[in-house]
Amino acid sequence: MSKVIIRKKANTLYRLFAMCPGGLEEVLKIELKALGMIIRNVYVGGIEFEGDLATAYTACLSLRTASRVLLLLQETKRVSHPDELYQAVSTVEWYKVFEPTSTFAVYLTETHTEERKEILNPQYMALKAKDAIADHFRKRFNERPNVDRKDPDITIRLHLHDQILKIYLDLSGKSLHQRGYRSETLEAPLKENLAAGLLYLAGWHEKIKTKEAFYDPFCGSGTILIEAAMMATRTPPGLFRQGFGFYSWKDHQPNLFEKIHNELRENIITDPDELPMMVGSDIDAAAINVAQQNIENANLSQVIKLKIGAFEKSIPFAPKGLIVTNPPYGVRMGEVEEMMQLYGAIGSTFKHQYKNWNAGVISSEKKFLQAISLKPSKKFSLHNGGLDSLFYVFNLY
């Protein structure tokens, strides 16, 4: 069994991995390059990059489409069964990673090529890894850390591809889509990092530069709208979070983290005159109330305007701009026809009232998007929670 210890390098570089929703890998790549990150490899569901501790902190605070940032502790080859995995995990100097008084959790994912035939049990393999970590502390201190899968101080994530095992420290803790500004949600809200991904795919990061207007006519609790405003104001998405997974990591440097946190905060644009006009609307007054509270939590009340009303009756508030929206797409009995009519009305409103605008619409139902009856300039396949979704972008003439 051969292994490579990654935890400390002479040049202080770490190998890091940013996870993202399926379909957003190229968007995440744009983000990483904009932050000056050194990209090593692009995979389905994430990107491997490298950098120092400041890079890791910046990634956790700044990446909008990432769901997690992981730090590689060790890579081991020729791991094919539970005993070999136990041995590989045992070789990590866990007492240098976290204290025995910290709680921890272990998760394992597994992929393989067609050549590998054996079937592994990820839950059992994760249990063996947990035992290896606990035994490490027991042998060294005669005590062991407790497991807490709900809210652990330290989360270890293992990925086994064929016989290559990678052991990661999860720097994020809770998923990075949990920004910390949301006080209340509506039914099935869009995840924040996916909302940010839609904005990138629709070109909002470029339109910000020319101060084009932004509008979400089905804003619900305000997720897309808030993410658009955070991008425009350069507000770091991790600014409002109460904690990260690296807080209990022994190599965590609170002073460095605070320095980076403050520098990013100072970079926020607060003058509305320097920003595009950003508006959200919804026919549901209760949704607008929820959105308003979330907007206030994100310190964006001065740059976002809300109104109650049906999209079909709206009047453009700028000669050109970008619409990105997540209309309702309930498919319970009796709703399909109603939804088809709604999406047909969306298409008609696009065509007749929003000429010279661009629009992006996400839905898990292809037939609803087709009911818009306009030819999309771009189509993207994405994963919205447990749903496979489509995102259509339209150039409106």
Side-chain angles (χ1 to χ4, degrees), residues 45 53 78 99 115-116 138 152 158 201 206 222 239 248 273 277 294 305 312 327 346 387:
L53 191 56
R78 293 194 292 277
E99 297 283 357
E115 286 75 18
R116 206 186 82 196
R138 186 183 292 112
L158 286 69
L201 293 174
E206 297 294 340
L239 186 69
S248 295
D273 292 337
M277 186 178 296
N294 291 334
K305 296 180 180 179
E312 305 93 283
I346 291 172
L387 296 174

Side-chain angles (χ1 to χ4, degrees), residues 269-295:
I269 300 172
T270 57
D271 185 355
D273 292 337
E274 297 182 31
L275 298 167
M277 186 178 296
M278 290 171 277
V279 176
S281 68
D282 202 287
I283 200 169
D284 184 357
I288 291 295
N289 289 335
V290 173
Q292 185 62 56
Q293 183 60 59
N294 291 334
I295 288 167

Side-chain angles (χ1 to χ4, degrees), residues 43-158:
Y43 299 95
V44 175
I47 294 178
E48 186 180 43
F49 63 107
E50 64 182 35
D52 57 13
L53 191 56
T55 298
Y57 290 152
T58 301
C60 288
L61 287 166
S62 302
L63 291 176
R64 302 183 189 278
T65 57
S67 53
R68 298 188 181 280
V69 175
L70 312 179
L71 182 145
L72 188 61
L73 297 173
Q74 182 171 295
E75 179 178 319
T76 305
K77 299 179 181 179
R78 293 194 292 277
V79 173
S80 58
H81 59 75
D83 289 341
E84 288 178 344
L85 181 135
Y86 178 96
Q87 182 181 346
V89 175
S90 296
T91 60
V92 177
E93 295 178 303
W94 291 107
Y95 74 97
K96 293 183 179 180
V97 179
F98 66 101
E99 297 283 357
T101 53
S102 298
T103 59
F104 78 107
V106 180
Y107 298 91
L108 184 142
T109 56
E110 184 248 348
T111 57
H112 57 84
T113 55
E114 293 181 0
E115 286 75 18
R116 206 186 82 196
K117 304 298 183 183
E118 63 268 29
I119 298 175
L120 301 175
N121 183 325
Q123 288 78 23
Y124 179 66
M125 297 286 272
L127 184 63
K128 293 291 286 187
K130 175 191 71 68
D131 290 343
I133 296 171
D135 290 347
H136 168 90
F137 281 99
R138 186 183 292 112
K139 290 175 183 177
R140 190 170 191 89
F141 302 108
N142 200 29
E143 63 175 316
R144 48 156 291 174
N146 292 323
V147 173
D148 183 351
R149 292 180 64 87
K150 289 185 177 180
D151 189 23
D153 298 319
I154 291 287
T155 300
I156 304 300
R157 296 188 181 272
L158 286 69

Side-chain angles (χ1 to χ4, degrees), residues 152-206:
D153 298 319
I154 291 287
T155 300
I156 304 300
R157 296 188 181 272
L158 286 69
H159 182 71
L160 184 62
H161 178 72
D162 288 336
Q163 294 187 3
I164 299 175
L165 175 70
K166 292 182 179 180
I167 303 173
Y168 293 100
L169 171 67
D170 188 339
L171 299 179
S172 314
K174 293 181 179 179
S175 173
L176 293 176
H177 85 269
Q178 300 180 43
R179 310 295 204 214
Y181 62 71
R182 192 191 291 279
S183 60
E184 191 175 350
T185 64
L186 302 173
E187 183 179 352
L190 198 68
K191 285 187 176 181
E192 290 82 346
N193 59 333
L194 178 57
L198 301 184
L199 293 164
Y200 272 100
L201 293 174
W204 177 235
H205 59 301
E206 297 294 340

Side-chain angles (χ1 to χ4, degrees), residues 3 21 23 56 134 171 178 186 220 264 332 341-342 345 361-362 373:
K3 65 180 180 180
L171 299 179
Q178 300 180 43
L186 302 173
L264 291 171
R332 293 190 295 269
Q341 292 176 3
L342 172 63
V361 183
I362 186 173
S373 298

Side-chain angles (χ1 to χ4, degrees), residues 327-372:
Y329 42 88
V331 290
R332 293 190 295 269
M333 190 69 68
E335 286 186 339
V336 173
E337 184 59 34
E338 181 182 345
M339 290 296 105
M340 294 292 283
Q341 292 176 3
L342 172 63
Y343 280 74
I346 291 172
S348 179
T349 306
F350 281 168
K351 182 177 180 180
H352 297 293
Q353 294 168 225
Y354 284 85
K355 293 179 180 180
N356 298 319
W357 283 58
N358 300 100
V361 183
I362 186 173
S363 178
S364 63
E365 295 293 330
K366 185 176 182 178
K367 59 179 175 287
F368 294 163
L369 292 170
Q370 291 173 333
I372 292 174

